Amino acid sequence: MKKNIIKSSKIWLDFFRQKIRNKRYYFKNEYSKKVFDHLNENGYAKINIFDIKKDIGSDELINFFNLIEKNFKVFENSFENETDIVNKNSRKADYQIRAAGTDIFKNIEKDFYKIREIGIFKEILEYYFDDNLINFQNDFWITFRNKEFNGRQASQRWHSDPEFHRVIKIFFYFNDVNDENGPTEYIPKTFLSGKKNSLLLRLYNFPHISSYYPEWFVNLIYGKKNRFKALAKRGDIYIFNTTGLHRGGYVKNGKRKLGIFSFTNNNSPYLKETYI
């Protein structure tokens, strides 16, 4: 208990320090600012790499997306079915295949780190983290339906991420995602500094600032209508502040294929822990 209180205290202290800073950042182009403003206000933002004008770096972004997608296909072709590669030690093994830790992924992971060189992401990440940025986890996911389980498992339930009060995750979509194959759901403005952040939510699992929350509890605070579904086409990119309330996609039919980049503050007291 004492250890958990110390961890939470570090996060809250840093959070209030950030709140009193008058931080300004000047973006190099209007598109980056537009994406950032939506992310900063709502907790999520969407980019389609094929819709961006060339004069604001679309070629750079498209080339990077193609590189990551090529590596994803190498990973996907490395197994014949889900049971060959599911990590049985993972609490998410019931519904998804993850690349992290596989021999294939170790050979291609270096390409993930190039994301910090892409203009639009570089600007947004610099605003959130200054020099304290750490790219603490990268992964490929293939989410599928496990007929042996009824209902949502692990991070398919409502939760907020524990790493620090600044957590940015960038999702690359390699196939279309609709209501059938598991869109991520997000409740806007519920991140720690958001306008709909709830003290009741943060106290639910005190001293931690994150937890899995039952559906009735989330409905009590936010109702049933204030939900954003991350529907996507191949080539879409979503950026999330995952200290906001969200849950992973629950697949009814088909599969969902993603590349996910995760960033936080390198002072996070949770970095030495493993959340798989």
Side-chain angles (χ1 to χ4, degrees):
M1 182 68 171
K2 180 179 178 181
K3 181 180 179 182
N4 291 336
I5 291 176
I6 292 173
K7 285 183 176 182
S8 291
S9 297
K10 289 180 179 179
I11 290 177
W12 283 113
L13 180 60
D14 190 77
F15 170 68
F16 286 115
R17 283 173 177 166
Q18 293 297 318
K19 287 286 284 184
I20 63 175
R21 289 177 62 191
N22 184 20
K23 186 172 184 179
R24 295 176 183 235
Y25 191 90
Y26 297 96
F27 291 89
K28 294 179 180 179
N29 63 66
E30 285 299 314
Y31 188 80
S32 294
K33 185 177 185 304
K34 178 181 177 182
V35 172
F36 169 79
D37 286 346
H38 200 279
L39 174 65
N40 204 37
E41 174 69 19
N42 298 286
Y44 70 91
K46 182 180 179 181
I47 300 169
N48 184 285
I49 63 170
F50 304 117
D51 290 342
I52 301 176
K53 296 179 181 178
K54 288 188 176 182
D55 60 347
I56 56 175
S58 63
D59 288 344
E60 177 187 48
L61 188 54
I62 289 172
N63 290 338
F64 181 69
F65 180 91
N66 289 338
L67 172 66
I68 298 301
E69 185 179 47
K70 178 181 177 181
N71 286 339
F72 174 81
K73 290 178 179 177
V74 171
F75 164 69
E76 186 179 25
N77 292 333
S78 67
F79 58 91
E80 293 184 0
N81 57 65
E82 291 87 352
T83 56
D84 290 342
I85 202 166
V86 164
N87 177 3
K88 297 298 183 182
N89 295 320
S90 171
R91 61 183 179 180
K92 300 177 183 178
D94 300 333
Y95 64 90
Q96 71 184 26
I97 306 164
R98 299 189 67 181
T102 66
D103 290 337
I104 291 290
F105 191 67
K106 291 175 183 177
N107 295 329
I108 60 180
E109 186 182 22
K110 64 183 184 301
D111 288 337
F112 270 83
Y113 297 112
K114 296 177 182 178
I115 191 171
R116 294 176 61 173
E117 302 169 11
I118 307 301
I120 187 171
F121 301 130
K122 185 175 186 292
E123 288 199 281
I124 290 171
L125 293 170
E126 282 181 355
Y127 176 90
Y128 274 98
F129 302 106
D130 297 322
D131 296 327
N132 292 319
L133 172 67
I134 184 169
N135 181 195
F136 70 96
Q137 181 172 285
N138 299 314
D139 214 346
F140 287 137
W141 287 15
I142 301 177
T143 312
F144 59 92
R145 173 74 185 276
N146 188 335
K147 296 181 180 179
E148 295 181 7
F149 293 89
N150 292 318
R152 293 175 174 269
Q153 308 293 320
S155 60
Q156 291 178 320
R157 299 161 57 198
W158 289 112
H159 67 286
S160 54
D161 285 352
E163 285 84 11
F164 219 58
H165 66 82
R166 286 162 295 181
V167 184
I168 297 297
K169 293 189 178 179
I170 303 174
F171 290 31
F172 279 36
Y173 285 79
F174 303 128
N175 70 327
D176 294 356
V177 174
N178 53 40
D179 281 320
E180 290 293 303
N181 62 336
T184 295
E185 292 182 77
Y186 191 92
I187 300 185
K189 308 179 191 296
T190 55
F191 50 97
L192 268 173
S193 58
K195 294 180 180 179
K196 292 189 177 180
N197 175 36
S198 169
L199 181 61
L200 183 60
L201 185 75
R202 303 303 171 185
L203 291 176
Y204 180 85
N205 194 33
F206 182 82
H208 287 294
I209 61 169
S210 67
S211 175
Y212 288 122
Y213 303 101
E215 183 79 15
W216 68 263
F217 185 73
V218 174
N219 291 341
L220 177 67
I221 300 175
Y222 298 109
K224 297 181 179 180
K225 295 183 179 180
N226 187 29
R227 313 281 172 86
F228 170 76
K229 287 187 178 182
L231 304 178
K233 298 289 186 181
R234 174 190 165 270
D236 282 341
I237 298 171
Y238 276 99
I239 308 175
F240 292 101
N241 179 342
T242 53
T243 64
L245 203 58
H246 64 287
R247 61 181 178 181
Y250 179 71
V251 177
K252 300 174 184 176
N253 295 296
K255 297 178 182 179
R256 183 184 63 158
K257 302 177 182 182
L258 299 171
I260 300 180
F261 305 75
S262 300
F263 302 88
T264 191
N265 187 302
N266 63 16
N267 297 317
S268 169
Y270 287 98
L271 282 176
K272 293 182 180 180
E273 300 183 19
T274 302
Y275 295 91
I276 61 171

